[in-house]
Amino acid sequence: MIDTGNMRILSATARLNRGRWFVSLQVEEKHALVKVARPDAAVGIDLGIKTLAVLADSEGVLGAEPNPRHLDRAQKQLRRASRVVSRRWEKANQARNKIHHRVANLREDTLHRMTTRLACEYGTIVVEDLGVAGMGRNRRLSRRVADAAFGEIRRQLTYKTRRRGTRLVVADRWYPSSKTCSRCGAVKTKLPLSVRVFECDNCGLVLGRDANAGHNLVALAARTTGTGAAGDLDLATAKSKPRGADRKTRVTRPRRKAGTGRAGGAIPSPRAGKETGDRQQDTGAQLAP
C-alpha cells in the first residue's frame, strides 16, 4: 500500500510489553467506505459476564456470543507460575508474563472477531454505557469484568462503525433496559441481578433477562434522532416511569441503628453544644422586641 501511494507512515513507537518488544506504526491510509451487509437493520447488544453479548436485531432474531473467560481458564497456570516466581525470579517471571500475554491475545482476538462481524453486518448498533469502573469495585466480579473488557468492545465498535459510515447508538447509563417489558413497555421498579428471567406483571411476558434487554436496546435505535446520543429521544414517544425505574439495582447494606451510649453513634463535643447554645441565644436576642 505504501508503494501504490495509498498509505504513508507518520511515526513509529517502540515499547516493551510483558517481556516482548513491539513497534507501533501510526499511518495515514486512503480507503473507500465498505457497504455493510444489512444497512437497514439494527442490532441491540446486551453485555454481560455469563454471556459476553446477547444480540437482538430489528427482525426479532436473537443471538448470543459466549464468554470464553480466558483469564479464568489460565488461573491454574498463573498460580503455579507465581509460586515459581517467588523462588526463581527472572526465568519464572518471563514464564508468567508469557501466560498473561497469551490471555491478552486471546481476549483481543475474540473481541475483534465479534465487533468486526457486527460492524460489517448492521447499519445501526446499540450498546449500553456501562459504569465499568464502578463494576470493577465489586470484589466478586472485578476479575470477570476486567476479563470481559466491556470498555474495549465499545471502543472497537466506535471506530469500526465510523470506518464503515454506519451508526453507533450508546444507551444512557440509567436506561432501564432490563427492567422494561419489551412487549408492552411496563417498567419494574426493582429487578435484582439474581433474577435471570424477566416476568411482566402487566402482559405476562416471560423472557430471559438479557434477551429482554437486547430487544429494548434495538427498539431504542428507532427512537433516536440520528445523532447517536443515548438521551436524544423523541419526547412524543417517551413514557413515564415509576419511581426508581431509571436507577440500576444496587445492593445496599442495612444501616446501623443508633442507640444509647458509646455504640449509638457520634457524641457531640461540649464545644459544639456550647456553640449551638450561643447561636440560639443570639437568635432569641434578635427576635426580642
Side-chain angles (χ1 to χ4, degrees):
M1 297 184 69
I2 296 177
D3 296 337
T4 57
N6 293 328
M7 178 186 293
R8 66 189 184 98
I9 299 177
L10 302 179
S11 64
T13 303
R15 59 189 175 90
L16 180 64
N17 187 12
R18 303 185 188 96
R20 297 186 181 185
W21 284 98
F22 293 87
V23 176
S24 302
L25 299 176
Q26 184 180 7
V27 300
E28 188 177 38
E29 177 188 354
K30 295 180 181 179
H31 62 84
L33 291 178
V34 181
K35 186 177 180 180
V36 298
R38 301 162 62 188
D40 298 330
V43 62
I45 306 173
D46 183 71
L47 301 176
I49 295 177
K50 185 176 181 180
T51 303
L52 182 61
V54 175
L55 313 174
D57 63 17
S58 54
E59 298 178 359
V61 179
L62 280 175
E65 189 74 21
N67 189 357
R69 298 188 180 183
H70 301 296
L71 186 58
D72 281 355
R73 293 183 178 181
Q75 281 302 303
K76 185 176 180 180
Q77 294 176 306
L78 288 172
R79 282 193 293 267
R80 186 185 302 114
S82 298
R83 288 195 296 267
V84 178
V85 166
S86 62
R87 298 190 297 268
R88 296 175 295 170
W89 170 249
E90 188 172 354
K91 272 191 174 183
N93 191 39
Q94 293 177 359
R96 184 176 59 178
N97 288 340
K98 185 177 180 181
I99 299 174
H100 277 296
H101 187 75
R102 181 175 180 274
V103 169
N105 286 341
L106 290 172
R107 181 190 302 117
E108 187 176 1
D109 178 71
T110 299
L111 300 185
H112 271 296
R113 286 175 182 269
M114 182 186 72
T115 54
T116 300
R117 177 172 58 85
L118 294 173
C120 291
E121 183 175 358
Y122 296 99
T124 302
I125 298 176
V126 187
V127 295
E128 294 178 295
D129 181 21
L130 298 176
V132 181
M135 297 170 65
R137 297 190 186 100
N138 189 322
R139 292 181 297 176
R140 296 182 179 180
L141 299 178
S142 58
R143 188 180 69 196
R144 290 180 171 85
V145 169
D147 192 25
F150 297 143
E152 178 65 13
I153 293 175
R154 177 177 170 182
R155 187 190 72 85
Q156 292 183 13
L157 287 174
T158 300
Y159 76 81
K160 290 181 181 181
T161 52
R162 186 184 300 120
R163 179 182 298 173
R164 288 167 174 80
T166 55
R167 188 168 65 127
L168 177 67
V169 179
V170 181
D172 186 79
R173 181 169 298 184
W174 306 113
Y175 175 66
S177 59
S178 299
K179 299 178 182 179
T180 304
C181 177
S182 58
R183 178 189 292 173
C184 66
V187 184
K188 286 181 175 291
T189 304
K190 293 183 179 180
L191 187 65
L193 295 175
S194 58
V195 179
R196 306 311 304 171
V197 178
F198 179 87
E199 298 181 4
C200 182
D201 301 330
N202 186 34
C203 66
L205 174 68
V206 178
L207 190 63
R209 178 194 183 105
D210 297 335
N212 180 67
H215 285 304
N216 287 323
L217 289 173
V218 72
L220 186 64
R223 298 168 53 193
T224 54
T225 60
T227 60
D232 195 4
L233 303 180
D234 186 3
L235 297 179
T237 59
K239 298 181 180 179
S240 61
K241 307 183 188 71
R243 182 179 180 87
D246 57 346
R247 299 180 181 177
K248 295 290 184 181
T249 304
R250 299 179 180 178
V251 180
T252 57
R253 296 180 180 178
R255 295 183 179 180
R256 297 176 59 184
K257 296 182 179 179
T260 58
R262 295 182 61 86
I267 301 176
S269 63
R271 182 178 180 181
K274 184 177 180 181
E275 292 176 353
T276 304
D278 293 342
R279 286 195 296 269
Q280 293 175 353
Q281 291 176 2
D282 294 341
T283 303
Q286 294 176 0
L287 296 177

